[in-house]
Amino acid sequence: MKLPHKTIDFTDDQINKIGNTIIYLSQHMSDLSKTKILKILFLLEESSIKKNKTPFFGIDFQIWQHGPVAKDIYIDLSDDEPTLLADFIGKKGDVFVGVREFNDDEFSDNDIEVLDHVTTFAMSKTANELVRITHDSNSLWNICAQANNVYDLLEAKKLNSTEYTIDFSLLFSDEGSRKLYEEIAETQEFIRNLKR
């Protein structure tokens, strides 16, 4: 059953990178569920920004009860079969598998290093463990949920999702690093808009 939704206008480069990332993950994990994918995609974005001040995908992650969630990826993975990522992955029961070989054309050396690091970290974790990690008291999800006054509602299960997004600039305590990250993110977004 297809869920009705309006997709974000992803660039081909973003789709290729997300799809190939999931292929890579499926080659290293036999239990690659929707929740596990969504948590790892967030951890990749967060890790890349922390380490390189550069977004891994350059996509938004919303503050949901079991978030952070890239909404359109969530919707695509919730369908009986992916449509947005159909050229990259398929489903076997509740597990996602690659339908072709991993292609690293969209990945820098820094991206591959972050991908290897996060994959090694996440491969032995369950989806629920990754949810707990992304909801830790010092996590961006927690900080952003509290800043937007939705934390208590999400925790009490009175709210499932929000339109609020994770503010990755909060990863930086010093103004110089924050500004550099914001400039890099703006430049990447400008380039993506030229490709649309």
Side-chain angles (χ1 to χ4, degrees):
M1 173 180 145
K2 297 276 185 211
L3 299 173
H5 68 283
K6 177 183 181 294
T7 60
I8 296 172
D9 191 14
F10 289 115
T11 64
D12 289 343
D13 292 347
Q14 284 175 308
I15 294 297
N16 286 332
K17 193 167 187 179
I18 293 165
N20 277 296
T21 295
I22 299 171
I23 290 170
Y24 183 91
L25 296 173
S26 75
Q27 292 172 342
H28 292 83
M29 300 176 204
S30 59
D31 62 339
L32 197 57
S33 66
K34 172 177 68 176
T35 300
K36 197 162 186 177
I37 290 171
L38 293 167
K39 298 309 128 208
I40 294 172
L41 295 181
F42 173 77
L43 291 171
L44 286 165
E45 191 80 353
E46 181 181 46
S47 296
S48 181
I49 292 168
K50 275 183 188 175
K51 183 178 187 294
N52 304 313
K53 296 176 185 58
T54 305
F56 197 86
F57 303 109
I59 60 177
D60 287 335
F61 290 84
Q62 294 180 328
I63 304 167
W64 288 14
Q65 186 183 107
H66 298 290
V69 171
K71 180 180 177 181
D72 285 290
I73 304 303
Y74 170 87
I75 292 169
D76 197 48
L77 298 178
S78 297
D79 287 344
D80 291 336
E81 286 294 326
T83 52
L84 191 62
L85 298 168
D87 291 340
F88 303 93
I89 58 172
K91 276 175 114 171
K92 287 190 178 177
D94 291 334
V95 175
F96 289 86
V97 295
V99 295
R100 64 185 197 193
E101 290 299 312
F102 173 70
N103 180 327
D104 68 359
D105 288 353
E106 302 299 327
F107 298 81
S108 69
D109 290 343
N110 286 333
D111 289 338
I112 295 295
E113 190 176 307
V114 169
L115 182 58
D116 285 340
H117 175 75
V118 171
T119 300
T120 300
F121 169 78
M123 68 177 28
S124 63
K125 309 279 189 287
T126 66
N128 287 334
E129 288 172 317
L130 293 173
V131 169
R132 282 192 294 276
I133 289 166
T134 58
H135 285 217
D136 180 78
S137 61
N138 296 319
S139 71
L140 277 179
W141 177 91
N142 193 311
I143 292 165
C144 292
Q146 291 196 39
N148 289 290
N149 298 314
V150 294
Y151 177 83
D152 291 336
L153 295 170
L154 292 166
E155 285 296 297
K157 298 184 177 150
K158 293 181 180 179
L159 188 63
N160 288 323
S161 64
T162 76
E163 294 296 320
Y164 296 114
T165 58
I166 298 292
D167 180 1
F168 288 100
S169 72
L170 297 175
L171 288 170
F172 306 106
S173 57
D174 68 286
E175 189 63 30
S177 293
R178 183 178 293 139
K179 260 185 131 73
L180 179 58
Y181 158 68
E182 289 170 349
E183 288 171 7
I184 291 169
E186 283 177 24
T187 301
Q188 285 184 339
E189 182 61 25
F190 176 76
I191 292 168
R192 277 191 295 275
N193 284 332
L194 292 176
K195 293 181 177 184
R196 286 188 172 110

